[in-house]
Amino acid sequence: MNFMRVLYTEWLKQRRGLLPWIVVGGPLMFAGMMWVDLYLRYSYLSGRHPNLSSWELLMQEGFMIWALFYPIGITLIAALVHYREYTDQGWKHLLALPVTRLSVYTAKWLLIWLLSCSAAGLLLIFMYMTGIILHFSEPFPLGQYIRYGINLCIAALGVVSLQHWLSSRLANPLYGMAIGFSGSMGALFFAQSEMMRFVPYASALFTMTVDNEDQWLAITTGLVAGPLLLIAGLVEFRQRDIH
Amino acid sequence: MSKWIMETQGLTKAYRKFIPVDQLQLHVREGEVYGFLGPNGAGKTTTIRMLLGLIRPSAGSIRIFDRELPRHRSFILRQVGSMVEAPSYYGHLTGRENLKLTCTLLQIPETEVDRVLDIVRLSQAQHKLARTYSLGMKQRLGIAQALLGNPRLLILDEPTNGLDPAGIQEIRELIVELPRQHGITVFISSHILREIERVATRVGIIHTGRLLFEGEMSELQRKGHPFVQLSAEPMQQTIDCLRDWGYLVEKADHGMNIMTDPAEASVINRRLVSHNIEVSHLSIGGRSLEDIFLEMTKGADSL
Amino acid sequence: MIRLFQYELQKMRRTRLLWLVAIAPLFMVFQGVQNFIRYRQIWTREAWEVIMEQTFIFYPSFLYPLLIAVIMAMVARVDHVQGGWKYMLARPVSRSDVYIAKLAVGILYILISMLAFGSSVVLGGLVAGAGSSIPWEEIFRKMAGCFLASLPVIMIQYEISVRFNHVGIPLALGIIMSVPSILVANSEQFWLLDPWTYPVVLMLGSRLGMDNGQAGMMNIVIVMLTLLVFLIGIMGFRRRDIV
C-alpha cells in the first residue's frame, strides 16, 4: 500500500541520523537524573509520603519535569522528521514523486507519533531499571506504569499534530522549534487555568497515575485535539502551493 | 617576475581513502581565458577550492600574482573574484543587499554594486529577495559578486550550470569581453566542452586528479586533425584542380574532404571561385573536441 | 573588526530573531505575574520578592539555556544554508575575525533577550501593582550572574552550531543537557559536571547552602572551560577545509 511504503521510507531516512539518539538519549538522561535524585533524597521523600510505594515516589518525583520536556522532545522529533525538507529543495522533490500528499503528510505524522511513544516506552523501561538499581523493595507495579505510558502516548497526540504542521509549514526549523519550546515552557501556567489547561502542551502534566484524578483531561485533549489538528493540518497541506 | 598570473606546482590533495587532486601543474597567463576541463568528479572543484584558500593542499604550492597563497592570502584574495559551484547568497536578503554586504566585507564603495549589476544585467531585479530569483538570475548574481572590486583574476566553477541556451550565451559573451574590455583574466572550469571551446584561449584537462594536457586551444583542436569539407560543382573538375594545386583530397559522401589546415579554407574558396567553380558548401570537419577529450581521458596515449 | 561585526549583524536582517528573542521571555514573565496575582492573599513576603521568585523560577534552568541554543543555532544557520561559508571565506578576511564577529553577534542577541526579560519583569510587576520599590539592583545582579555563569554554555553552543551543519545537533545537546538543571537543587556534588546547571546554581546559591569552596570551584571551571572551548573552536575554524 502506498502509505506503508511512504512510512517505511520516512523511517529509513532517519536511520543514521540524530533521531535515534534523541529518542533513546532523552529518556535515558532523564532516568539517570531520577536515579541521582532518588539516591540522594529517598529517605526524605518516603518520610513525606509514607503511603506511597517507592515506585510511586519515583513516578511522582519525575512526572512533572518529564511533562515539561516531553513536548520539547516531540518538537525536536517533528523538526528532524522534516529535516530533508528544510535542506535541499524542500518539498518539491518529495511531492514530485508519485505519492499522494495525503499519504506523505499522514506517514510523517504517524512516524512522529510512534517515535514519541517509543520515547515514552523507553522511559518506562529506564525507570524500571532505575528502580532495580536502587533496590526498591516493592514489586514493580506494571499496570500502573503501563497506564502512565499509555496516557503519555495519548497526551502526545495533540502536540504531535501541532508541531508536525508547524514544521511542515515554516521553512526555518528554528521557528517551529521556538514555538514548541515556548508552548512547552508555558505548560505549568496553562495547567493552572480553567480554560487553558486544554492546550495540548499542558496535557502531559495530567498523565501521572498516582493519586491523579485529572487523567481524563490528558486523554480527552489528546483524543480530541490530536486528530482534529491532524485533519486541519492535512487540509491546509493539500492545498498549499509549494515553491 | 613570473610570466604566469597563476601557477601551481605539484598541487595535491590526498585523503585517507582517495586522492582527488594529484601533482597538478597549472599555468595561467594574464589576460587570457583559461578553460579548466574535466568530467564530473575529476577534481576540478577541489582544485578551485584550494586555489581560493578554502581547502588546505596536502602538498605542492600555489602562486598567484607572484605570491605564495597561504602566506599572502589576504593580498591575493583582494584581487580575486570567484564563484564556486552553486552561487552562494543569502536568500532572505535582496540581490542588492547581498552585493552591498560583500562591499562592506571588502571595504569597497557602494557604487560598485550599480556597476556590476549593470554588467550582469540584474538592475531590474535588484530589490527582490534572492531566494525568489530564477536559476539564471542566481547565477548572474554569483558572477556579479565575483566582479565586485574589479578583480584582476576571476575564478568561475561551472558558471553555466543549469542555464538555458540564452543564459549560456549571455554568460559566454560576458566572459569573452572581460579580458578584452576590463583586462580581467578568467579561469573557468566546466565539463561542457563546446562552451569552453568557444571562450577559452588556453586549456587544461584534468582527469581523476591528474593533468592530462595543458596548452593552447588551437593545439588541442589540431589534435582532431581537422580538415576542410567541400561540396562543389562540377565535382571531378574541382578534385583535379585541387590535386594540381598540391592538396590531398578524398572523396566523401557530401563531396570531398581536403586534408589541410582549416585556415586554408578561404584561400581554397577564392581560387575555386576564380576558376568558375560553384562552391555550394564549405566547412571544417574533424574529430570533435568531445572525441579528443574522451580519447584522452580513456588513457589512450594520443599526446 | 567592527566592520565585520556590522557585516554579521546585517546578515541577520529579516530573520525575525529579534522578535523571537524579545517575545519569548514575556511568556515566562506573564506566567509569573499571573501567579502572583492569583495567589495574592497567600503571599507573606514582600510583593517584589514574590514577583522575582515567580518569574525567575524557570528562567535560568529552562528558558535561558534554550534561548542561547536557538540564538546560536540561528546565527550559524544563516551561513550553513546556501554556501555562506565559502561566500565569506574565499575573500580576504581573517577567519579568526569572522569567528569572533559571529560570536559577538550571538552574544548581543543574548543580551537583548536578557534586557527584554528584565524589563518585562519590571513592567509586569508594576502592572500587577507590586508597588514602586523596584529591586533594580537585585534584578541586575541576578541577570549579570546568570550571564557570567552561562559563559561556558554560550561558548559550547556557539562552537557546536558553527561546526556542524545539522541544526538539530546543538539544539538536542542544549535540551538534553538542560534536563538536570531542574533537579540540581537536590544533588550537592554532581551539578559541577553539567555547565548548563551553573546559572541555576548561582540563582539558588544561598538556598542550596553552597559553601565558598564550591562557588570558587565553579568560577574556575567557568573561566577555564570557556577559554578552552574558545581556543579549540577558533583554531579548528581556521584550519578546517570548507567543502
Side-chain angles (χ1 to χ4, degrees), chain B residues 6-11 24-27 47 51 61-63:
Chain B
M6 174 163 83
E7 63 176 322
T8 72
Q9 290 272 10
L11 190 62
L24 220 58
Q25 316 265 113
L26 294 175
H27 306 89
T47 305
L51 293 174
S61 71
I62 302 174
R63 288 185 78 87

Side-chain angles (χ1 to χ4, degrees), chain B residues 217-257:
Chain B
M217 174 58 84
S218 49
E219 199 183 317
L220 188 64
Q221 282 167 331
R222 242 175 277 131
K223 291 196 182 303
H225 307 298
F227 49 83
V228 178
Q229 287 172 320
L230 190 70
S231 299
E233 290 300 324
M235 201 169 75
Q236 194 51 51
Q237 186 183 348
T238 316
I239 294 181
D240 295 334
C241 273
L242 291 167
R243 283 196 178 134
D244 282 343
W245 296 332
Y247 289 110
L248 187 62
V249 185
E250 286 173 7
K251 282 215 186 110
D253 292 334
H254 57 85
M256 64 205 82
N257 293 334

Side-chain angles (χ1 to χ4, degrees), chain A residues 4-46:
Chain A
M4 288 308 286
R5 239 183 312 130
V6 178
L7 180 62
Y8 185 58
T9 47
E10 287 296 325
W11 162 243
L12 283 180
K13 279 192 218 174
Q14 298 298 334
R15 260 194 331 156
R16 233 163 279 154
L18 206 54
L19 217 39
W21 291 97
I22 295 177
V23 171
V24 175
L28 190 61
M29 184 84 178
F30 189 80
M33 196 176 70
M34 286 286 99
W35 170 70
V36 172
D37 182 50
L38 282 210
Y39 179 73
L40 297 170
R41 298 219 308 167
Y42 186 72
S43 27
Y44 166 72
L45 286 171
S46 52

Side-chain angles (χ1 to χ4, degrees), chain C residues 12-87:
Chain C
M12 300 299 291
R13 287 178 72 182
R14 290 208 203 88
T15 56
R16 276 162 255 174
L17 186 61
L18 208 56
W19 288 109
L20 210 155
V21 142
I23 294 182
L26 295 182
F27 240 120
M28 292 261 113
V29 177
F30 193 57
Q31 289 181 56
V33 169
Q34 272 281 19
N35 263 359
F36 168 72
I37 296 178
R38 183 178 292 140
Y39 303 118
R40 219 189 183 113
Q41 299 84 340
I42 309 182
W43 307 121
T44 51
R45 289 160 288 158
E46 278 283 326
W48 275 110
E49 205 185 312
V50 175
I51 291 269
M52 292 287 287
E53 184 195 64
Q54 289 300 310
T55 52
F56 271 78
I57 294 182
F58 280 137
Y59 183 71
S61 50
F62 224 175
L63 175 63
Y64 187 51
L66 278 178
L67 260 179
I68 294 178
V70 170
I71 289 174
M72 289 310 186
M74 269 299 266
V75 165
R77 183 176 188 271
V78 170
D79 285 298
H80 283 314
V81 167
Q82 281 310 329
W85 296 115
K86 53 177 166 91
Y87 181 119

Side-chain angles (χ1 to χ4, degrees), chain B residues 101-116:
Chain B
L101 214 56
T102 309
C103 285
T104 310
L105 191 64
L106 299 177
Q107 285 180 302
I108 53 185
E110 230 182 86
T111 49
E112 279 289 294
V113 174
D114 297 298
R115 185 183 74 92
V116 299

Side-chain angles (χ1 to χ4, degrees), chain C residues 86-174:
Chain C
K86 53 177 166 91
Y87 181 119
M88 270 200 299
L89 299 179
R91 298 262 144 68
V93 274
S94 138
R95 286 202 187 185
S96 314
D97 288 352
V98 170
Y99 192 81
I100 295 175
K102 272 186 110 56
L103 176 61
V105 170
I107 291 183
L108 179 67
Y109 273 97
I110 292 175
L111 291 174
I112 292 179
S113 83
M114 297 187 89
L115 190 66
F117 183 72
S119 17
S120 46
V121 167
V122 169
L123 235 73
L126 283 175
V127 163
S132 52
S133 57
I134 305 171
W136 294 109
E137 197 194 302
E138 198 187 337
I139 293 181
F140 179 74
R141 252 191 316 114
K142 270 187 159 12
M143 311 235 49
C146 231
F147 178 71
L148 291 172
S150 64
L151 281 174
V153 172
I154 291 178
M155 203 60 236
I156 295 175
Q157 290 289 157
Y158 177 67
E159 169 57 19
I160 304 283
S161 300
V162 165
R163 182 179 277 262
F164 297 103
N165 246 314
H166 196 310
V167 79
I169 295 180
L171 283 165
L173 179 73

